[in-house]
Amino acid sequence: MKELEYYFQAFKNYFNFRGRANRSEFNWFVLIDLVILFGLIEWVGFIYLLITIVPFFSLNVRRLRDAGCSGYWVLFYFPFCLYAILVNYMQIHLVFPTSLVILYFLSLIVSLIIFVFSMFAKSKRY
């Protein structure tokens, strides 16, 4: 498959949490998604993020399954998403409770570890 085909394949499997996804499919989707996201204005980027969050999670579940892990590891992303929204809210209102910022960075570290693992883990075909 070509690079853009991998990107659109994630949208074809929008709610498909079964099966497997190879490294190329996952990496190309994330790369193209980040390029598009960083090129958009703030509120348009937020709308684009809402549209692409389900394909990202479904693709990540299939990628983790392909790497031999449980798809439930994706649940570690949810605290990061909630804390990101919370920190965004705190920046707007200039309120920074230290404990929430620390939890935000801890969840960010855990999410990044899982994300990097799913990008570079080798496929375990049975």
Side-chain angles (χ1 to χ4, degrees):
M1 283 189 182
K2 298 289 182 195
E3 294 81 13
L4 285 176
E5 289 178 14
Y6 285 128
Y7 181 75
F8 291 118
Q9 183 71 25
F11 286 103
K12 289 178 186 174
N13 294 320
Y14 202 83
F15 288 106
N16 181 13
F17 290 90
R18 298 186 188 275
R20 298 171 185 265
N22 59 22
R23 276 190 288 184
S24 297
E25 184 179 353
F26 181 77
N27 291 344
W28 278 112
F29 176 78
V30 169
L31 179 69
I32 293 171
D33 194 37
L34 287 175
V35 167
I36 292 172
L37 191 61
F38 285 128
L40 296 175
I41 302 170
E42 186 175 323
W43 61 273
V44 177
F46 182 72
I47 293 170
Y48 176 77
L49 183 67
L50 290 177
I51 292 170
T52 60
I53 196 136
V54 173
F56 173 75
F57 279 118
S58 67
L59 185 61
N60 205 348
V61 166
R62 289 184 281 128
R63 177 66 199 128
L64 286 169
R65 191 170 294 126
D66 186 52
C69 297
S70 173
Y72 290 110
W73 279 93
V74 124
L75 295 177
F76 282 106
Y77 285 126
F78 287 114
F80 171 68
C81 293
L82 293 176
Y83 288 130
I85 292 169
L86 191 62
V87 167
N88 230 354
Y89 176 79
M90 289 186 305
Q91 286 177 346
I92 292 170
H93 295 290
L94 301 174
V95 178
F96 291 102
T98 308
S99 59
L100 289 177
V101 174
I102 291 171
L103 285 174
Y104 169 75
F105 284 113
L106 288 176
S107 65
L108 175 65
I109 290 169
V110 171
S111 298
L112 285 175
I113 289 169
I114 295 169
F115 180 73
V116 169
F117 173 76
S118 60
M119 283 185 76
F120 297 109
K122 295 196 185 247
S123 298
K124 294 186 178 178
R125 302 284 179 176
Y126 299 104

